[in-house]
Amino acid sequence: MKTRSKNFLYERDIPWESAGIGITRQVMGYDGQIMMVKVKFEKGAIGTPHTHYHTQNTYVVSGKFEFTVEGKTQLVEAGDGVYMEPEVLHGCKCLEAGILIDCFTPIRADFLK
């Protein structure tokens, strides 16, 4: 498996891939330790509750989202962030179409082709 992306990644060159109904993503950079992923949500799309062994930090670029982490639900919008420890149940609902930047450590190998 390739464990490092190119140094410069351009949105126009990276295909959007499906990540669920109304959700698409672009992997925007990674090495063996860290990965950054841009995720686009349509209004009403659901980030199905799930867990994984990765630490995740999410930055809200645009839109409004209802995030649930460890059973606590909060509204987040542009400029806000959400931190998720490994193995913690989390998910979201998109209230207003937007974009999230997800950073994972270690990398989400399942996101690489």
Side-chain angles (χ1 to χ4, degrees):
M1 173 179 68
K2 184 177 177 187
T3 58
R4 184 183 337 223
S5 66
K6 297 176 186 176
N7 292 93
F8 296 93
L9 297 110
Y10 301 97
E11 180 180 53
R12 68 180 176 266
D13 297 333
I14 303 168
W16 288 92
E17 56 187 62
S18 177
I21 298 170
I23 306 170
T24 55
R25 70 175 169 235
Q26 289 179 309
V27 175
M28 297 302 295
Y30 62 93
D31 66 15
Q33 300 302 310
I34 191 168
M35 174 180 273
M36 183 171 68
V37 180
K38 182 170 27 174
V39 188
K40 189 185 304 183
F41 281 77
E42 295 175 6
K43 182 178 179 177
I46 303 291
T48 304
H50 63 284
T51 63
H52 46 71
Y53 68 89
H54 313 82
T55 298
Q56 178 178 343
N57 205 25
T58 295
Y59 174 74
V60 183
V61 175
S62 61
K64 290 186 181 179
F65 297 83
E66 187 176 78
F67 261 85
T68 302
V69 180
E70 283 192 296
K72 184 173 183 179
T73 301
Q74 295 284 313
L75 178 67
V76 293
E77 55 191 4
D80 295 337
V82 182
Y83 169 76
M84 286 138 289
E85 294 179 8
E87 304 299 345
V88 167
L89 183 65
H90 59 281
C92 69
K93 178 178 181 181
C94 182
L95 304 177
E96 180 181 296
I99 294 176
L100 303 176
I101 300 295
D102 289 338
C103 294
F104 299 97
T105 184
I107 67 170
R108 291 290 305 261
D110 55 320
F111 286 7
L112 300 177
K113 295 182 178 188

